[in-house]
Amino acid sequence: MSSEKPSTVVPIVDETSESRNKARLAILELANMISVPMALNAVVRLKVPAVIWNSGANIALSAAEIVSRAIPDTLTADADNLQRLLRLLASYGVFIEHPPTGDQCFLRYSLSEIGMTLVGDEDGLSYGEYVLQHHQEALVKAWPLLHKAVEGPTSVTPFEVANGEPAYSYYGKEEEMNLLMQKAMVGVSVPFMKAIIDGGYDGFKDGGRVTRLVDVGGSAGDCLKMIMNKYDNVKEGINFDLPEVVAQAPPIPGITHVGGDMFKSIPSADAIFMKWVLTTWTDDEVKLIMKNCYDALPVGGKFIACEPVLPGTTDDSHRTRALLSGDIFVMTTYGAKGRHRTDDEYRQLGNLVGFAHFRAVHIDYFFTVLEFQK
């Protein structure tokens, strides 16, 4: 390795130029970017979206009105500090800021379309649990160690460096964390499943040929139940997950809960479905999962995976940033070599284990339906 020192040539810049002004502003925003997710976490913990929503009213409220309803019977709550959080999040489109009217002298806030994703559905689930899950102390501790994913060894994630063990085993020992993760996954999965079921995807029907369907990593069986309620050709559902997970799953008519290990074998079926599973594993691990799916399918059978899929080139669109930031979360928390992939990378992995046909169906902006046919 060369012992030469890096160049110390200093760039010549004009600090009065428009471009330099914009550059300074941009780097200061990036340096303080942690304020955004932490402010989001704070308002979810304070149940601000639920207070504003108020059973569908979505009436604009001042910070003082929100505090009086979210934190009643306390003399220490600070409405001014809440307004500072609301202003920041309004600049990112989570809340709508309403100027003073009439003789009022205070700002008021209602929920935007983004903010309404934080309001619980009929089962009390929303994207709020996903926000809370991402910002637990054990996960936050890993972020200052992200450089370790570059320095190596990549067999150890920043989460493991910070907490002494991998995330999945850590969750398994922390009942509250594990429960929150399951709620977060359901809160994200159900809206997505509604989008693909009602959005025209026909892979679960496949001309009526899919009568037995396996959901790998199906947790409590909610998504499998949604599929079976929509497609009457699916007569038998197998909810396949770790034994300790399916042990907590409720009885669902037509669905059998089966415990096992997807790295060893997967129950046979006409089609195999999984969502948000492949992204946390290495290429070799993904190939093993795909091979087990291939072996469990008949000729013509389908493996249907729903995953965040990266675009082939980088741009500054909202979608690309959301996908790339999710990729870094995977690197930090679950696997330094787990990753979001492009659809072409998934196609190549499928080819390596024998899948002859592949198509990517883009219905949701974050998740892509990846269909492999034997």
Side-chain angles (χ1 to χ4, degrees):
M1 182 180 294
S2 173
S3 60
E4 293 182 9
K5 294 182 179 180
S7 171
T8 57
V9 176
V10 178
I12 299 174
V13 297
D14 178 5
E15 296 292 357
T16 67
S17 68
E18 177 75 6
S19 62
R20 191 64 174 177
N21 258 297
K22 289 181 177 179
R24 291 198 303 269
L25 184 64
I27 199 63
L28 286 170
E29 181 186 15
L30 287 169
N32 290 302
M33 192 67 77
I34 192 172
S35 303
V36 180
M38 289 305 177
L40 187 63
N41 184 60
V43 298
V44 172
R45 288 178 66 89
L46 292 167
K47 298 180 173 57
V48 171
V51 169
I52 295 175
W53 182 244
N54 190 23
S55 300
N58 196 19
I59 296 174
L61 300 174
S62 69
E65 290 171 324
I66 295 170
V67 162
S68 69
R69 302 176 193 190
I71 320 172
D73 305 321
T74 180
L75 300 177
T76 60
D78 194 314
D80 179 62
N81 282 347
L82 175 60
Q83 178 165 295
R84 293 161 70 183
L85 298 177
L86 294 170
R87 287 196 67 188
L88 172 63
L89 294 172
S91 75
Y92 282 89
V94 179
F95 298 100
I96 299 170
E97 186 175 272
H98 303 266
T101 57
D103 58 355
Q104 297 175 341
C105 59
F106 45 80
L107 298 169
R108 294 168 300 127
Y109 297 88
S110 61
L111 296 174
S112 67
E113 191 77 21
I114 298 172
M116 285 191 283
T117 66
L118 303 172
V119 176
D121 62 10
E122 59 271 17
D123 297 315
L125 295 171
S126 71
Y127 276 72
E129 285 75 23
Y130 184 74
V131 172
L132 295 176
Q133 192 268 334
H134 270 45
H135 297 91
Q136 296 171 100
E137 183 180 356
L139 280 78
V140 173
K141 283 168 58 179
W143 284 104
L145 301 170
L146 180 54
H147 62 284
K148 296 291 186 181
V150 177
E151 291 179 350
T154 54
S155 59
V156 180
T157 63
F159 182 97
E160 187 172 352
V161 175
N163 295 285
E165 61 182 312
Y168 287 128
S169 62
Y170 190 97
Y171 291 167
K173 297 175 183 177
E174 299 288 337
E175 184 176 353
E176 187 174 337
M177 285 187 72
N178 194 44
L179 180 61
L180 180 58
M181 183 176 73
Q182 290 184 35
K183 286 183 177 180
M185 293 303 98
V186 175
V188 171
S189 297
V190 169
F192 166 68
M193 289 304 301
K194 289 178 180 178
I196 66 168
I197 286 175
D198 297 333
Y201 176 67
D202 60 358
F204 296 116
K205 195 170 186 67
D206 197 24
R209 287 185 291 271
V210 178
T211 61
R212 178 181 166 96
L213 176 67
V214 172
D215 184 357
V216 178
S219 191
D222 297 277
C223 291
L224 186 55
K225 179 181 177 182
M226 292 175 67
I227 295 169
M228 295 180 69
N229 285 342
K230 176 71 174 182
Y231 301 101
D232 56 11
N233 55 285
V234 182
K235 305 298 184 183
E236 182 182 4
I238 305 296
N239 179 44
F240 183 68
D241 212 316
L242 294 171
E244 60 268 27
V245 175
V246 296
Q248 304 297 319
I252 302 174
I255 294 176
T256 303
H257 300 296
V258 176
D261 183 348
M262 65 183 176
F263 290 105
K264 295 180 179 178
S265 66
I266 290 171
S268 61
D270 302 306
I272 295 171
F273 173 67
M274 65 176 65
K275 59 191 180 305
W276 221 348
V277 171
L278 301 178
T279 194
T280 59
W281 303 103
T282 68
D283 286 351
D284 286 341
E285 289 166 330
V286 169
K287 283 190 289 185
L288 179 55
I289 296 168
M290 286 184 165
K291 181 63 166 62
N292 288 340
C293 290
Y294 183 90
D295 291 343
L297 290 168
V299 174
K302 290 183 177 180
F303 165 43
I304 304 165
C306 298
E307 300 288 338
V309 172
L310 293 175
T313 58
T314 303
D315 57 49
D316 62 357
S317 69
H318 198 168
R319 178 177 181 270
T320 296
R321 285 178 172 172
L323 288 163
L324 290 173
S325 61
D327 180 48
I328 304 305
F329 178 79
V330 169
M331 180 198 300
T332 305
T333 309
Y334 296 117
K337 298 303 290 182
R339 62 175 62 237
H340 291 182
R341 298 171 175 87
T342 65
D343 53 11
D344 190 59
E345 287 173 325
Y346 276 117
R347 179 189 60 76
Q348 292 179 41
L349 290 168
N351 282 343
L352 289 172
V353 303
F355 284 109
H357 304 284
F358 169 81
R359 70 167 175 155
V361 182
H362 299 275
I363 295 175
D364 183 83
Y365 286 171
F366 190 78
F367 295 99
T368 298
V369 181
L370 305 168
E371 189 179 273
F372 305 84
Q373 188 168 23
K374 184 172 178 178

